[in-house]
């Protein structure tokens, strides 16, 4: 359980997220994922990364129960910083990152795949940002990399999900395959990249990041500022407690 990183002989590094039951990552998990991706990029033997998950879904976002069972704002601040670090690590990884998405990809999951270079999905995969239903904001930056502007706004305001099959038409998901072929499909794309001169690919990754029209790191931090306002106003705790069936821990 946790984050594992395995380098294959062909230069493909497989980073796996495994936090049962739904891959809702605790604060430590986000930072561990960021560290794994940073280490992968720093290793010149790594030519490409496949980011995948065990279990019934790719990622369910932050661990809300951890946040509500922790007094004060430490867990909230930790989750904000951890998500920022993990999303940034995907985007700034020195080699391309291929996201292999199964089942649900929600909230923080969209933050990860939105910053990936290639997305391959299983037939059961779907994506969504339910933040407004949790009294929070965030990952609109990354949702905008998956769908056109008006659809992004509709999905964000309504909290609706969108299936991976629809995203193929928008060009953000490369292909959709049966669940039992997901790893195979992701590794096939990774093998194409891994076979190329990694010195060129690493420069290509840096060059493409350099011409992006939006600074995703700054954009996401801007969103997080509004999340903090909602938390200070007590709105977010109301929504999180209602969702998780918890009562926010408070000092006596």
């Amino acid at each position: 359980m946790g984050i594992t990183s395995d380098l294959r002989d062909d230069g493909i590094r497989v980073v796996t997220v495994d936090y049962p039951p739904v891959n809702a990552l605790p604060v430590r998990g986000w930072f561990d994922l960021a560290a794994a991706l940073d280490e992968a990029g720093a290793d010149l033997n790594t030519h490409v990364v496949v980011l995948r998950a065990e279990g019934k879904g790719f990622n369910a976002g932050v661990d809300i129960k951890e946040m509500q069972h922790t007094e004060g704002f430490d867990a909230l601040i930790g989750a904000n910083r951890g998500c920022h670090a993990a999303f940034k690590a995907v985007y700034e990884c020195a080699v391309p990152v291929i996201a292999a998405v199964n089942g649900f990809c929600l909230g923080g999951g969209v933050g990860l795949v939105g910053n990936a270079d290639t997305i391959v999905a299983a037939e059961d995969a779907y994506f969504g940002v339910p933040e407004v239903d949790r009294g929070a904001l965030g990952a609109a930056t990354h949702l905008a990399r998956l769908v056109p502007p008006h659809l992004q706004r509709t999905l964000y305001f309504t909290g609706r999900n969108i299936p991976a099959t629809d995203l193929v038409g928008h060009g953000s998901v490369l292909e959709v395959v049966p669940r039992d072929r997901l790893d195979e499909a992701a590794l096939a794309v990774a093998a194409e990249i891994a076979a190329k001169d990694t010195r060129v690919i690493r420069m290509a990754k840096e060059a493409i990041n350099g011409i992006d029209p939006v600074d995703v790191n700054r954009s996401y931090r801007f969103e997080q500022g509004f999340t903090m306002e909602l938390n200070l106003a007590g709105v977010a705790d109301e929504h999180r407690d209602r969702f998780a069936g918890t009562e926010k821990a408070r000092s006596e």
Side-chain angles (χ1 to χ4, degrees):
M1 190 179 81
I3 308 296
T4 59
S5 180
D6 299 298
L7 179 62
R8 295 165 31 125
D9 292 339
D10 57 4
I12 300 173
R13 184 178 291 275
V14 179
V15 176
T16 300
V17 177
D18 185 12
Y19 275 92
V22 294
N23 285 324
L25 271 59
V27 171
R28 184 71 264 159
W30 292 107
F31 283 108
D32 287 346
L33 179 55
L37 291 162
D38 288 342
E39 290 168 7
D43 181 1
L44 297 181
N45 291 314
T46 300
H47 292 192
V48 62
V49 171
V50 171
L51 177 60
R52 62 179 299 280
E54 287 292 334
K56 56 187 178 181
F58 179 79
N59 189 282
V62 302
D63 186 342
I64 291 178
K65 289 184 178 179
E66 177 190 47
M67 196 174 293
Q68 297 310 97
H69 290 155
T70 304
E71 292 182 11
F73 295 110
D74 286 351
L76 170 67
I77 294 171
N80 275 14
R81 289 188 174 275
C83 284
H84 181 261
F87 302 168
K88 184 173 185 286
V90 173
Y91 186 75
E92 294 185 353
C93 185
V95 298
V97 177
I98 298 169
V101 182
N102 63 295
F104 46 81
C105 180
L106 304 172
V110 169
L112 295 173
V113 303
N115 273 0
D117 299 285
T118 302
I119 305 170
V120 177
E123 290 173 337
D124 66 346
Y126 60 92
F127 303 74
V129 180
E131 312 308 86
V132 295
D133 292 327
R134 309 288 181 263
L137 299 175
T141 292
H142 313 95
L143 185 61
R145 297 167 68 84
L146 301 180
V147 297
H150 283 87
L151 181 54
Q152 175 226 10
R153 287 169 179 260
T154 300
L155 293 173
Y156 199 69
F157 296 148
T158 63
R160 292 183 185 180
N161 298 322
I162 184 168
T165 49
D166 287 3
L167 293 185
V168 173
H170 293 299
S172 48
V173 168
L174 177 66
E175 61 179 325
V176 174
V177 299
R179 176 67 183 89
D180 61 2
R181 288 194 51 238
L182 179 60
D183 288 337
E184 174 189 343
L187 288 170
V189 179
E192 287 187 57
I193 298 171
K196 301 185 183 299
D197 188 329
T198 190
R199 296 170 297 181
V200 178
I201 292 296
R202 285 168 176 264
M203 283 197 177
K205 174 71 182 276
E206 186 174 357
I208 289 177
N209 280 3
I211 63 172
D212 258 346
V214 175
D215 182 334
V216 296
N217 297 324
R218 291 173 63 90
S219 178
Y220 179 57
R221 289 300 273 174
F222 176 80
E223 289 186 70
Q224 286 186 320
F226 293 97
T227 295
M228 295 304 266
E229 288 189 27
L230 288 167
N231 276 279
L232 289 172
V235 175
D237 278 333
E238 293 176 16
H239 285 269
R240 283 195 295 262
D241 281 336
R242 189 178 305 125
F243 170 75
T246 56
E247 184 174 343
K248 173 63 177 175
R250 305 181 190 281
S251 58
E252 296 296 332

